Amino acid sequence: MGLIVQKFGGTSVGSIDRILNVAGRVKEEIDKGNQVVVVVSAMGKTTDQLVNMAKELSPQPNKREMDMLLTTGEQVTISLLSIALNQNGLEAISYTGWQAGIVTEPVHANARIAKIDTNAISQQLVSGKVVVVAGFQGITEDGEITTLGRGGSDTTAVALAAALKADRCDIYTDVTGVFTTDPRYIKNARKLLSISYDEMLELANLGAGVLHPRAVEFAKNYQVRLEVRSSMEKEEGTVIEGEATMEQNLVVRGVAFEDEITKVTVLGLTNSLTSLSTIFTTLAKNHINVDIIIQSTTEAGTANLSFSIHTDDWLETLNVLEDNKEVLGYEQLDAENKLAKVSIVGSGMVSNPGVAAKMFQILADNNIQVKMVSTSEIKVSAVVEEKHMLKAVEVLHDAFELASVE
Ligand code: ASP
Ligand code: MG
């Protein structure tokens, strides 16, 4: 007998029919003789709808009240699913995050899990019940309700799997697994049978929406075996584990992409020693996320700085830089909008020099200009014009033979 944590996302529990389908998937695991903990998201677009209602009342609603509001979404799903399971002849009990013992740091809207007291869940499992837990929520030591950040139900599931020492954590979603690239845009994208934690972490951080990056980080740290699979289709999904066990000969495993990127350039920084830290400290204080950073010095002894941000943050970035012009001491600001980031990811890159060179060659052959570059041990990202994004993905996906290998 094993212990399985199953997680079902918003689309998978988006209607009464879908909830019935989920009850069926839970029953399959029970019938195999397993103990099951189920983690669910809010139904369909419920969380977005709740956010929109609050925004109608206030442009910046109080974060504590937002947590209070958003956690209701998951609470609807846990009770409905438990009712469906009971009706299916299974004994089930629903738990909110706090009933499940999920304690977080005292931060609203984006709290990290501090510890999990699994006693209550374990007792229910021993008595033969299916435990249905609300994803995305927890409680502080002081009894305040918190949420884990958008998409955080994945993290709840993985954290519970780690705390309960579950044999597996299955993430059921509306796609059949992790693909070499987004199959909605690239026709010959292929489902990967397995992928390593590190590769998945890069892909998740680079905008592949299948898994919450923090969930992957958690899985890696606690060596939780994850599987991403479809809640509708009965086919094998993608296993995420320490080392990808199959297809190890492939240097590049996936191509990720993201649009709406703006490149900001600050010209003529007079004091390059301190201005760099001042700029990024100022932006960080204003919660502006900076991605790629490039600095160069000029012959005149000044420095030019370029960095990329999400286009949504552009006006705020402009305001912050202009408001601090005197402290920062620069001559001119420039921005280029309508950019995108295309990245290749694969653990094999560590031991294969020349992967970046090949990437730039392929982009050049296709007349795609690279505006910025960043690398890690297992990824190379290039910023290109948004209009070239999908073409870049397609030619890289082909050149690194991602579609052809079974
Ligand atoms: N319901 C939350 C959201 O939409 C959490 C989740 O689904 O993972 O972000
Ligand atoms: Mg999700």
Side-chain angles (χ1 to χ4, degrees):
M1 184 173 74
L3 170 57
I4 317 286
V5 175
Q6 294 182 306
K7 184 257 166 180
F8 295 90
T11 320
S12 304
V13 293
S15 65
I16 293 299
D17 271 352
R18 292 280 172 93
I19 288 177
L20 274 174
N21 169 65
V22 166
R25 301 307 289 258
V26 175
K27 190 165 188 312
E28 277 168 33
E29 288 300 340
I30 295 289
D31 289 346
K32 286 181 202 156
N34 291 313
Q35 291 181 319
V36 179
V37 173
V38 191
V39 174
V40 286
S41 290
M43 290 172 70
K45 297 258 170 269
T46 302
T47 311
D48 289 335
Q49 285 159 3
L50 293 170
V51 169
N52 289 340
M53 280 199 267
K55 288 259 162 81
E56 277 183 42
L57 297 167
S58 159
Q60 264 180 323
N62 178 290
K63 286 188 171 172
R64 177 191 185 275
E65 301 311 326
M66 282 310 285
D67 279 353
M68 189 63 85
L69 175 67
L70 297 192
T71 47
T72 62
E74 272 69 12
Q75 214 169 315
V76 170
T77 324
I78 52 172
S79 41
L80 288 177
L81 179 57
S82 296
I83 292 169
L85 288 167
N86 289 336
Q87 189 60 28
N88 253 299
L90 296 177
E91 274 198 85
I93 181 165
S94 64
Y95 274 167
T96 59
W98 41 103
Q99 289 176 317
I102 298 171
V103 179
T104 75
E105 57 179 0
V107 172
H108 284 295
N110 207 1
R112 285 172 175 270
I113 296 175
K115 64 171 193 226
I116 302 183
D117 176 358
T118 54
N119 271 330
I121 294 182
S122 296
Q123 278 177 26
Q124 297 295 344
L125 288 173
V126 167
S127 74
K129 292 207 177 80
V130 175
V131 186
V132 184
V133 180
F136 172 61
Q137 52 179 250
I139 194 163
T140 68
E141 297 278 11
D142 294 338
E144 283 292 319
I145 293 172
T146 51
T147 58
L148 310 181
R150 294 302 306 268
S153 293
D154 291 343
T155 305
T156 303
V158 178
L160 277 176
L164 291 161
K165 300 196 169 47
D167 296 286
R168 238 171 50 219
C169 180
D170 293 342
I171 309 277
Y172 286 86
T173 176
D174 50 357
V175 291
T176 54
V178 180
F179 281 71
T180 50
T181 192
D182 193 329
R184 285 173 301 178
Y185 299 96
I186 305 295
K187 291 235 159 38
N188 55 3
R190 186 175 51 87
K191 188 173 74 187
L192 293 159
L193 297 175
S194 69
I195 187 166
S196 71
Y197 294 123
D198 287 328
E199 289 168 329
M200 192 62 232
L201 200 53
E202 289 283 9
L203 287 174
N205 278 320
L206 289 167
V210 248
L211 276 178
H212 199 236
R214 260 167 52 204
V216 184
E217 214 173 86
F218 222 109
K220 182 187 171 187
N221 291 342
Y222 293 90
Q223 298 288 305
V224 176
R225 187 180 182 280
L226 279 183
E227 181 165 343
V228 174
R229 54 190 311 177
S230 162
S231 58
M232 302 306 290
E233 244 86 43
K234 296 219 169 158
E235 57 182 83
E236 257 175 72
T238 304
V239 175
I240 300 147
E241 54 196 346
E243 294 286 329
T245 45
M246 278 155 275
E247 312 178 16
Q248 265 164 348
N249 50 342
L250 269 193
V251 176
V252 174
R253 307 295 311 284
V255 184
F257 53 96
E258 202 181 331
D259 58 5
E260 291 192 50
I261 287 175
T262 294
K263 176 185 173 186
V264 182
T265 303
V266 189
L267 293 160
L269 282 162
T270 41
N271 192 346
S272 60
L273 260 186
T274 55
S275 53
L276 200 60
S277 72
T278 314
I279 285 186
F280 292 117
T281 312
T282 314
L283 291 173
K285 267 195 207 135
N286 288 275
H287 302 283
I288 294 167
N289 244 329
V290 173
D291 184 17
I292 303 176
I293 300 170
I294 298 170
Q295 196 201 213
S296 58
T297 44
T298 67
E299 276 179 23
T302 61
N304 295 335
L305 173 72
S306 291
F307 57 88
S308 66
I309 52 171
H310 193 278
T311 303
D312 281 351
D313 291 335
W314 160 232
L315 283 183
E316 209 182 333
T317 304
L318 184 71
N319 286 338
V320 169
L321 291 175
E322 279 180 346
D323 288 350
N324 292 281
K325 184 162 188 199
E326 252 165 54
V327 200
L328 300 172
Y330 60 85
E331 273 159 30
Q332 203 189 321
L333 281 181
D334 245 338
E336 190 174 358
N337 285 305
K338 293 203 180 324
L339 298 177
K341 184 167 76 170
V342 176
S343 311
I344 55 174
V345 174
S347 317
M349 280 184 207
V350 182
S351 50
N352 276 282
V355 178
K358 180 169 172 185
M359 176 182 190
F360 300 137
Q361 184 64 53
I362 291 155
L363 294 176
D365 289 349
N366 286 277
N367 289 319
I368 299 172
Q369 202 198 341
V370 175
K371 308 260 178 182
M372 300 176 101
V373 174
S374 84
T375 64
S376 79
E377 279 202 315
I378 65 164
K379 74 128 202 248
V380 185
S381 299
V383 172
V384 300
E385 281 178 64
E386 208 169 84
K387 63 177 186 214
H388 292 144
M389 178 178 76
L390 288 178
K391 177 78 182 167
V393 175
E394 194 184 306
V395 294
L396 291 169
H397 193 263
D398 280 349
F400 287 102
E401 296 172 53
L402 287 173
S404 51
V405 183
E406 249 325 307

